[in-house]
Amino acid sequence: WTTNRHIYLMEHIPSSSKNKDDKAAAEEEDFEELLGECITKDNLGYDTNPVFSPDGKRLAWLTMKSPTYESDAVGILVYDLETKKTSTLLEAESDWDYSPNSLQWSKDGETLFFTADIRSKQALCSINSTIGARSKQNGDGGGIRILKDNQSSFLHGEVRGSSANGGHLLLASVQSLSMPTELFLVDSSFDAENKKQNRLRQLTHFNTQRITETKLGKSEEFIYQGDKGDDVQSWFIRPAGFTDEQDSNSKQKQYPLVVIYHGGPQGSSGDNWHFRWNLQYWASMGFAVFAPNFHGSTGFGHQFCRDITENWEVGGRDTIHGVRAVLKEYPWIDPQKVVGLGGSYGGYTSNWLNGNAPDDMFQALVCHCGTFDMRSSYYATDELFFKETE
């Protein structure tokens, strides 16, 4: 397998009603010609998410430059079908420290909307479809606008052309560590720096009543110094029903701590309602929950993400630093009741911690689908590009 995925344009779809002689001749044709015109042949990286503009004259897509690297910085390209020229709206790495992971046109074709992992939250963003990420100058409309950076959003599309404030009305799914997915209307005329109460409108309340009747743990960001001496972001959730009075007054070490480290390794523990690794599940059982976004996590800059390449131990080392910081910050956690668990790369981290963490730090470690030996894993998968890069 390879990460070199191309995008092709076909003027028409070949008919399936050919006679036997025609089909035989077609089979002898070059496969590339049957696919159409390749507009990404010069890029050895990953090209994906192609979307046509509403008028059908332009095609936008997401692109990576590095071959065999599935977590490379992501840019945005636009191809003009009339001039057959490709322009760069967002130059990966240099224009922005984050990567788009989706792409949709506005109905007027002037804007491209996308989501991006920013500090472990799926932020809703926009970029001018002509000017791109160029720095704003003289009000030319350039640059990237972050429309919504709290919670995590998934964009479904534009509801209609403009809101009362002249922006676009967008339909998005929104979720967080304390709210399952609900549908919202987002007004793009406001951005994260210009917060107003009427910029969001919740449309559905599928789980509002049930969540109101359910005890959840209070979640917050917890920043600590990692193995490299710089800041590492994490999520910390108090046990369900834990009160502010207990937080400030309780000195009894009575609550256990569960440490959940994500897979990837280039991924993140996000502000979302995960239906498999749901952090509130552990809080509901009386655990304090610590989920570190160690070096290698996405959403904290491209270099931070690359710090784990050929250095898989850094995730475990950052986790050890984080556990020490949490125990120091919250004296009501029992240091003799700490457990760790993770899947995939998180399972690798459990294995690494089992042999490298301080002897008295973890009472139990859970490895789910974790890698134990990189060499044997190389011969047990067809996803060789990942192993070869690492």
Side-chain angles (χ1 to χ4, degrees), residues 148-270:
K148 187 179 186 304
D149 62 353
N150 63 322
Q151 304 170 309
S152 289
S153 302
F154 176 85
L155 180 62
H156 295 287
E158 186 177 358
V159 177
R160 60 174 182 266
S162 63
S163 67
N165 300 293
H168 302 272
L169 281 178
L170 308 174
L171 178 65
S173 296
V174 179
Q175 58 178 306
S176 70
L177 285 166
S178 57
M179 184 185 73
T181 301
E182 300 286 359
L183 291 175
F184 282 75
L185 274 182
V186 182
D187 186 344
S188 73
S189 60
F190 303 113
D191 56 33
E193 297 179 356
N194 182 24
K195 291 181 169 63
K196 292 195 176 184
Q197 292 182 353
N198 64 344
R199 62 181 299 271
L200 290 177
R201 180 158 66 92
Q202 186 170 347
L203 300 179
T204 64
H205 296 270
F206 295 120
N207 295 288
T208 301
Q209 184 65 29
R210 180 167 293 181
I211 290 298
T212 301
E213 298 170 352
T214 303
K215 287 185 178 180
L216 298 178
K218 179 182 177 182
S219 62
E220 63 185 32
E221 288 189 85
F222 180 76
I223 311 297
Y224 65 95
Q225 282 197 334
D227 189 60
K228 292 177 172 289
D230 55 352
D231 286 348
V232 173
Q233 186 264 8
S234 68
W235 292 105
F236 182 78
I237 303 181
R238 288 162 174 75
F242 193 85
T243 65
D244 292 338
E245 183 178 353
Q246 286 175 290
D247 202 0
S248 59
N249 298 325
S250 176
K251 300 298 181 182
Q252 296 180 2
K253 304 187 189 310
Q254 55 184 332
Y255 287 92
L257 174 69
V258 61
V259 184
I260 299 179
Y261 21 84
H262 64 75
Q266 293 96 345
S268 67
S269 290

Side-chain angles (χ1 to χ4, degrees), residues 28 42 47 66 92 135 137 142 191 201 203 229 279 322 336 367 385:
E28 295 178 1
D42 294 329
D47 294 292
S66 301
S135 298
Q137 297 176 356
D191 56 33
R201 180 158 66 92
L203 300 179
L279 303 188
Q336 300 303 314
C367 169
F385 60 82

Side-chain angles (χ1 to χ4, degrees), residues 5 223 262 271 321:
R5 178 179 292 183
I223 311 297
H262 64 75
D271 187 13
H321 282 275

Side-chain angles (χ1 to χ4, degrees), residues 3 25 27-28 40 52 71-72 136 146 157 170 174 176 195 224-225 240 247-248 262 283-284 298 314 332 353 356 359:
T3 59
E27 290 176 356
E28 295 178 1
T40 59
F52 280 104
S71 298
D72 196 13
K136 296 180 181 180
I146 300 177
L170 308 174
V174 179
S176 70
K195 291 181 169 63
Y224 65 95
Q225 282 197 334
D247 202 0
S248 59
H262 64 75
S284 70
T298 55
V314 72
W332 43 266
L353 290 171
N356 293 276
D359 291 340

Side-chain angles (χ1 to χ4, degrees), residues 105-142:
W105 289 87
S106 62
K107 290 187 176 182
D108 58 16
E110 296 181 358
T111 304
L112 279 163
F113 298 105
F114 60 90
T115 54
D117 188 351
I118 300 179
R119 296 192 62 80
S120 68
K121 301 176 182 181
Q122 290 298 314
L124 182 57
C125 312
S126 69
I127 187 172
N128 185 288
S129 67
T130 303
I131 300 172
R134 190 180 67 194
S135 298
K136 296 180 181 180
Q137 297 176 356
N138 303 319
D140 63 4

